[in-house]
Amino acid sequence: MAVYRRWSIAAVALLAATTLVACGSDDGGGSGSGDPNAAPATAGGPMGRFPGAKLVLSRWAGDPWTSGQKTAAGEWGTATGGTLDLDAVPYENLHDKQALTLTGAGGYDIIYVHPSWFGEFAKAGYLAPIDQYLADANRNPSGFSADSYLPNVLAQGKYDGKQYCLPDFVSTTVLAYRKDVFEANGIAEPKTLDDVAAAAAQLNGKDGLAGMSIPGKRGGAVADIMGSLITAQGNWWYDDQAKSTLDKAAAAKAVDFYVKVAKTAPSGVLNFHVDEAATAAAQGKAAMIISTTPSLQALEDPAKSTTAGKWGYLPLAFTAGKPAGELIYWNWCIAEKSTNKDAAYSFLQWYTNGPQQAKVAVAAATAGATKDFYTNAEVAAKLPFLSAMNDALTTSNPQPSLAAWPKAQDQIELAVQEAIEGKKTPDQAADAMGQAVADALG
């Protein structure tokens, strides 16, 4: 039985609108000598005053996100009197670095947690619940509460009935295609993934282009795309009781598509994460790309792209007119061992609100999680993928956040890789995925 959610980000919003040591001055409860209830120093600024508080934030490294957050951290510090340092490490090392630090004496105050290990961290007690902060009118700007967030997105930061995190980085996987290349070769805009596979085969090798650029490296993106592909068939990995619901035929069809387009990808596709896939497309090496929307910011960045302005964006659909996607997001969480919880919440509330998210949205190709983000017409006009993303998320499943999921995800991605290499047929890969999901879920 499918567990997908039918919802539209814009529709929900419009309806609502019609190193690693933190030498904090707070005690374990987070009260400290500051004043978390102090009104913002300037309109739209962060709540609270935290003179002398020193916080450390853990996140993955990559611009424009890291540099944008450094700027935000400096603004927060100026407004509140605290300091916030970033410990940014490569994505592939982030989980292990965070787990090692949180298991030990601590040292992080704010943690950027991927859905695939959110359940693991929440179950282990690494994260602090924030329900009391969201519910306290004194800790939030006037009119701001849990209701300020898109409910389906905010819910992904809840575990065992408690809210642990605030979301941002809302995205999905979509197709980007070179409009000029399609027109020059007399190919119509693809309506289905069969059309996409056919176009990739037809364009592969034309004028030095690969037909498709797509992630092939085990690191999360392959599973994200697979999640969108099975959701587009009305299927999902598991149900609301965490029991496997994966349909072998749907998984095999998704793998078959992946293999077909990967055969038209640039050399080295198995080493492509989202950044490498996007760089290849941006530099004119591929006629199409399927990847996460944040990675697609490279396509329209003149500093990175020789093809800016030439791209069209479409949701993924096996059946014409029935797009789908995986809801991708990240969670901003407060470490349970932090002695700066008040200050940490001040930053997270301020950083995840609509105006702050709008500052990085255009450059980062991401969307915010608060309803007011989607009423910002200027931002919407500058995000060419937003319409495709919103169409995709009309029928979507959120990235898995079960504590046992990381192991299953790795095996799912290994099965895709082996199918691309010809070591497994799509049916065999589907069987391996089914077994991995069943084993992980027990």
Side-chain angles (χ1 to χ4, degrees):
M1 178 180 178
V3 194
Y4 50 77
R5 284 77 170 168
R6 296 183 179 275
W7 62 291
S8 165
I9 289 178
V12 172
L14 291 174
L15 283 172
T18 342
T19 85
L20 305 182
V21 178
C23 304
S25 60
D26 293 351
D27 61 25
S31 57
S33 59
D35 180 5
N37 301 333
T42 58
M47 293 287 296
R49 291 288 298 168
F50 308 99
K54 297 180 180 179
L55 286 73
V56 177
L57 179 153
S58 168
R59 65 159 299 132
W60 50 266
D63 282 331
W65 304 279
T66 304
S67 59
Q69 192 162 49
K70 285 181 180 178
T71 299
E75 293 174 1
W76 178 86
T78 298
T80 66
T83 59
L84 177 59
D85 294 326
L86 273 61
D87 181 36
V89 300
Y91 170 79
E92 55 265 31
N93 305 127
L94 186 62
H95 169 273
D96 292 349
K97 179 75 174 291
Q98 289 180 340
L100 182 64
T101 302
L102 295 169
T103 302
Y108 290 143
D109 298 282
I110 298 171
I111 319 155
Y112 208 17
V113 179
H114 190 270
S116 65
W117 62 82
F118 164 67
E120 172 194 348
F121 282 12
K123 183 178 181 180
Y126 297 157
L127 312 177
I130 60 169
D131 300 272
Q132 71 274 24
Y133 295 110
L134 275 171
D136 188 345
N138 293 323
R139 301 290 185 95
N140 296 285
S142 177
F144 192 94
S145 69
D147 289 338
S148 300
Y149 293 89
L150 296 168
N152 284 38
V153 186
L154 182 64
Q156 306 313 315
K158 184 172 285 190
Y159 183 85
D160 199 21
K162 296 179 181 179
Q163 189 73 39
Y164 283 93
C165 307
L166 297 178
D168 80 340
F169 206 81
V170 176
S171 57
T172 189
T173 58
V174 300
L175 168 76
Y177 70 101
R178 284 279 299 276
K179 294 184 291 185
D180 58 326
V181 172
F182 271 61
E183 182 178 357
N185 287 275
I187 302 174
E189 177 184 279
K191 303 297 184 184
T192 69
L193 289 169
D194 287 340
D195 294 341
V196 171
Q202 181 177 341
L203 293 171
N204 192 40
K206 288 277 187 76
D207 300 320
L209 285 173
M212 174 70 71
S213 186
I214 192 168
K217 183 177 181 179
R218 288 152 66 188
V222 174
D224 288 335
I225 294 171
M226 281 296 299
S228 290
L229 295 177
I230 64 170
T231 298
Q233 300 175 73
N235 191 224
W236 190 236
W237 306 113
Y238 53 84
D239 62 18
D240 290 336
Q241 284 72 50
K243 300 298 182 182
S244 176
T245 55
L246 182 62
D247 178 70
K248 177 180 176 179
K253 185 174 182 178
V255 174
D256 182 63
F257 170 79
Y258 217 122
V259 171
K260 285 178 179 177
V261 296
K263 287 181 178 179
T264 74
S267 176
V269 65
L270 294 182
N271 294 315
F272 278 21
H273 193 42
V274 292
D275 292 338
E276 290 81 8
T279 296
Q283 291 300 311
K285 297 179 181 179
M288 291 181 284
I289 175 173
I290 293 175
S291 190
T292 57
T293 46
S295 68
L296 300 183
Q297 59 86 21
L299 305 185
E300 306 294 351
D301 183 351
K304 300 177 181 179
S305 178
T306 61
T307 56
K310 298 179 179 181
W311 295 93
Y313 300 86
L314 296 168
L316 306 183
F318 275 111
T319 302
K322 295 184 177 181
E326 181 180 79
L327 167 61
I328 301 172
Y329 60 96
W330 278 69
N331 277 317
W332 285 110
C333 312
I334 300 174
E336 176 60 35
K337 292 181 180 179
S338 171
T339 58
N340 297 283
K341 293 185 179 70
D342 286 342
Y345 178 76
S346 167
F347 179 78
L348 295 192
Q349 181 282 316
W350 175 71
Y351 186 70
T352 60
N353 70 24
Q356 285 301 310
Q357 291 290 300
K359 288 185 177 181
V360 297
V362 174
T366 56
T370 53
K371 296 169 184 175
D372 60 350
F373 178 90
Y374 297 91
T375 62
N376 189 326
E378 181 179 355
V379 170
K382 294 179 179 179
L383 296 177
F385 67 87
L386 194 59
S387 177
M389 186 184 89
N390 202 33
D391 287 345
L393 292 179
T394 299
T395 300
S396 65
N397 281 298
Q399 275 182 317
S401 59
L402 300 177
W405 190 252
K407 183 177 180 181
Q409 175 180 287
D410 185 65
Q411 292 303 303
I412 288 166
E413 296 191 321
L414 176 60
V416 173
Q417 286 187 328
E418 290 181 336
I420 292 172
E421 293 176 301
K423 296 177 180 178
K424 279 184 168 66
T425 66
D427 280 344
Q428 290 170 335
D431 283 334
M433 291 178 186
Q435 189 62 55
V437 173
D439 289 346
L441 300 181

